[in-house]
Amino acid sequence: MVLYTKRLILRPWKREDAAKLFLYASDPIIGNAAGWAPHTDEHESMRVIEGPLSGEEVYAIVLRETDEPIGSVGLLEKDGATCAVADDEAEIGYWIGFPHWGNGYAPEAVSRVLRHAFEDLDKKGVWGTYYDENARSGRVQAKTGFVYHHTEAHHVDARGDEHVMHYTYTMTYPEDEDSEQ
């Protein structure tokens, strides 16, 4: 599936995206904020495209203007989520490459995926999570209608690092006139 907004195309990741994925995913700012190790080479980025980023509801965030992938957004269901989700719920995950921060791309992509979750996938709720040290992600969630649910003081990420994890939840998506079908 491909989703559109005024400035973005949300589409499946492609093998030819490996160089751009590596460019952004090798930046420690991105991986550390998301709880995964920075990519070490393009081969690793290709493995990630063929693995975790190949999920049915995982999308490359692509600028319409340049056709360049600049990040990722996706819905994780029961087995792939980092938090407990019911059958009619999902968890959203997203990141944007550092050079593109501050342009509103994350809220735009998250809003469009939320709309898809509720309208097309019939989800009743979507969870969001963010680490204490990644308040920017918390602001994206607040801008897109998520409300604080609870905090876990000792969440261990995929690398074994411990974080304070905040959980948010939404049962709606923001009405966005810039969203396109």
Side-chain angles (χ1 to χ4, degrees):
M1 171 161 289
V2 178
L3 305 171
Y4 299 92
T5 72
K6 182 177 181 181
R7 301 182 300 164
L8 305 172
I9 300 168
L10 309 178
R11 59 145 170 89
W13 283 90
K14 302 174 185 176
R15 293 177 59 84
E16 53 267 27
D17 295 331
K20 281 295 185 182
L21 175 58
F22 176 66
L23 175 68
Y24 298 125
S26 63
D27 185 340
I29 292 173
I30 303 303
N32 291 337
W36 37 264
H39 293 197
T40 57
D41 57 39
E42 270 187 49
H43 295 292
E44 180 179 5
S45 295
M46 180 63 73
R47 286 190 298 278
V48 171
I49 287 171
E50 293 171 344
L53 295 182
S54 68
E56 189 174 334
E57 294 299 333
V58 179
Y59 304 92
I61 300 171
V62 177
L63 294 176
R64 278 187 179 220
E65 192 173 284
T66 63
D67 201 36
E68 172 191 2
I70 61 163
S72 190
V73 62
L75 295 170
L76 306 169
E77 298 192 80
K78 208 168 183 97
D79 294 335
T82 61
C83 62
V85 299
D87 289 336
D88 60 354
E89 297 176 327
E91 177 185 358
I92 197 160
Y94 51 89
W95 61 267
I96 297 286
F98 180 72
H100 301 282
W101 286 10
N103 293 303
Y105 296 134
E108 188 172 331
V110 167
S111 293
R112 183 62 185 96
V113 170
L114 286 174
R115 179 177 173 185
H116 170 61
F118 293 115
E119 289 185 352
D120 304 327
L121 303 177
D122 202 30
K123 296 297 179 189
K124 302 298 182 227
V126 176
W127 290 93
T129 61
Y130 65 96
Y131 298 138
D132 205 38
E133 63 271 21
N134 189 7
R136 293 178 72 93
S137 190
R139 287 193 297 277
V140 168
Q141 291 170 30
K143 287 179 185 178
T144 55
F146 286 81
V147 295
Y148 174 79
H149 190 273
H150 71 281
T151 297
E152 288 181 8
H154 304 288
H155 176 83
V156 179
D157 69 20
R159 298 176 301 183
D161 296 337
E162 192 172 288
H163 303 270
V164 173
M165 175 80 90
H166 302 284
Y167 293 79
T168 62
Y169 192 76
T170 188
M171 295 170 53
T172 63
Y173 63 89
E175 292 297 329
D176 185 358
E177 64 279 354
D178 291 339
S179 201
E180 298 181 11
Q181 287 288 351

